[in-house]
Amino acid sequence: MKDTFESALRAYFHSPAAILLALVSGLVFGSGDARAHGSLHETIRNLEEELEDNEGDPDLTLRLAELYREHGEPIKARAMAARVPPEARPEVFLVRARIEKEAGKREEARTCLLAFTKLRPAESEGWFRLATLLEDEGKIGAAAAAQQRGIAVAPGHTSADHFLMGVQLYRACGDPGAAVDLAKQAAHIHPRHIGLNEERALLLHETRQEDEGRAVLAELREHYPTLAYKWWRMEADFLIERDPEKAVNLLDEALHSFDERYEHRPVPERLVSFRRELAEERTRANLLRGPIPTPAPIMRAEETAAQWYAHPASP
């Protein structure tokens, strides 16, 4: 029974689907802690024996290269990866790129990723890894373009985090228009993702689309009421310099909402500082607002009275 079970496991883990999953995710055979305590070494030894019986098998060879890399043996990993023909397994370029990046050879890693995207332009993984590498090198514009290529492959299946990275890259390279467009596209696919919506609201504010930005924050407050005070504060920051009067009114509304919500129950510890920050921001906004002007009709009445006393009408 034990032999049958082990054979079934071996058959699965040697399958192309499992190998591709391991290469893309970077996870092979269990947790890092377990591998660090010897199981990775044992797995490598077993796979070496398997490869002796199946010499030239590209999947086993590629998998062994990845395991050598994880085990901290870049020379063996590089030599093993070199035995895999890219035409048969283009994924070898992803493995080689990771080996070279970890060895500090960024140019070689970039060459491998470019080779993969050339062979498999319709696979977003290569573009995303290339974008990360380019960003690390400070090539923000090129990173944004690579990230956009990865998203364009299958926008409906792109994670919120990859969208967020694309938005932030466009913003960092000084293209707020492209950043806003991408953020709006992402909002249709991930409408309630907090990080994406915060970035979208900030971009809308920076591009003078304040009303739309405030609407995004209002939606966040509606969907996540326990975090609403964070977005009250963010919206007040948008208003405080441009229109402190509106900021005061907004913060009054936020403080009232807060006090009403926790009138008959204790305030969670994590929100105590939020309440204090809202109050401090309200004080700052009030100071920026300055003295409240007397309404025009009252001013006119006061002027009329002053004139009457200066020049009383004849009886």
Side-chain angles (χ1 to χ4, degrees):
M1 183 72 176
K2 181 181 177 184
D3 290 342
T4 304
F5 177 70
E6 288 180 349
S7 298
L9 276 180
R10 189 178 297 109
Y12 168 73
F13 283 119
H14 288 172
S15 69
I19 290 167
L20 260 182
L21 179 63
L23 293 174
V24 169
S25 66
L27 302 175
V28 184
F29 279 88
S31 71
D33 288 341
R35 290 196 299 273
H37 288 86
S39 62
L40 180 58
H41 181 73
E42 183 179 348
T43 301
I44 289 173
R45 189 174 67 248
N46 291 339
L47 198 56
E48 287 172 337
E49 293 175 0
E50 289 285 331
L51 194 56
E52 286 178 5
D53 296 333
N54 299 274
E55 188 174 355
D57 185 301
D59 293 325
L60 292 177
T61 306
L62 189 57
R63 190 123 171 283
L64 188 55
E66 178 71 2
L67 289 173
Y68 280 142
R69 181 198 65 78
E70 289 194 14
H71 198 243
E73 299 181 82
I75 295 175
K76 283 187 176 181
R78 194 178 288 115
M80 192 60 61
R83 293 165 57 181
V84 178
E87 299 77 15
R89 294 293 182 273
E91 294 81 12
V92 69
F93 283 122
L94 296 179
V95 175
R96 288 169 58 183
R98 187 174 289 174
I99 294 167
E100 302 305 344
K101 183 181 178 182
E102 291 177 358
K105 298 183 177 182
R106 293 183 176 276
E107 187 173 346
E108 289 84 346
R110 187 169 64 252
T111 299
C112 289
L113 290 173
L114 287 170
F116 180 79
T117 58
K118 185 176 181 179
L119 285 173
R120 293 284 177 86
E123 291 191 17
S124 58
E125 183 68 21
W127 295 111
F128 292 147
R129 291 197 189 187
L130 179 61
T132 299
L133 182 66
L134 290 168
E135 183 187 20
D136 290 344
E137 295 177 340
K139 299 173 181 176
I140 307 302
Q147 190 74 5
Q148 178 60 50
R149 285 289 301 271
I151 291 170
V153 167
H157 297 285
T158 298
S159 72
D161 287 339
H162 280 132
F163 267 115
L164 182 57
M165 180 176 170
V167 170
Q168 291 172 336
L169 285 169
Y170 273 131
R171 185 165 176 248
C173 70
D175 193 345
V180 169
D181 290 343
L182 187 58
K184 288 181 178 180
Q185 180 187 5
H188 290 294
I189 300 168
H190 305 284
R192 296 192 180 184
H193 189 273
I194 291 174
L196 267 173
N197 279 297
E198 286 180 340
E199 195 75 15
R200 182 160 63 110
L202 184 60
L203 281 162
L204 289 167
H205 170 69
E206 291 176 349
T207 54
R208 300 189 179 279
Q209 301 175 65
E210 288 93 348
D211 290 343
E212 193 174 347
R214 293 177 65 191
V216 172
L217 296 177
E219 288 176 8
L220 281 172
R221 289 196 294 268
E222 181 183 349
H223 295 317
Y224 304 101
T226 58
L227 297 174
Y229 312 105
K230 175 184 180 183
W231 299 308
W232 286 117
R233 172 68 188 274
M234 191 173 177
E235 187 173 349
D237 285 343
F238 290 171
L239 289 170
I240 199 164
E241 299 292 341
R242 183 174 58 84
D243 194 338
E245 177 76 25
K246 278 187 179 179
V248 168
N249 294 335
L250 179 75
L251 289 163
D252 281 341
E253 184 182 352
L255 289 165
H256 175 74
S257 171
F258 189 103
D259 294 339
E260 188 177 59
R261 183 178 181 85
Y262 294 104
E263 183 178 6
H264 301 296
R265 51 179 168 167
V267 179
E269 185 65 29
R270 63 188 175 81
L271 292 181
V272 171
S273 62
F274 269 122
R275 174 62 170 80
R276 183 172 61 251
E277 288 172 10
L278 287 172
E280 290 171 352
E281 192 74 353
R282 198 260 183 214
T283 300
R284 185 165 80 92
N286 200 39
L287 288 171
L288 286 171
R289 177 177 64 172
I292 301 175
T294 308
I298 298 177
M299 287 292 288
R300 284 196 293 272
E302 289 175 349
E303 290 169 1
T304 302
Q307 291 170 3
W308 189 90
Y309 284 114
H311 307 282
S314 300

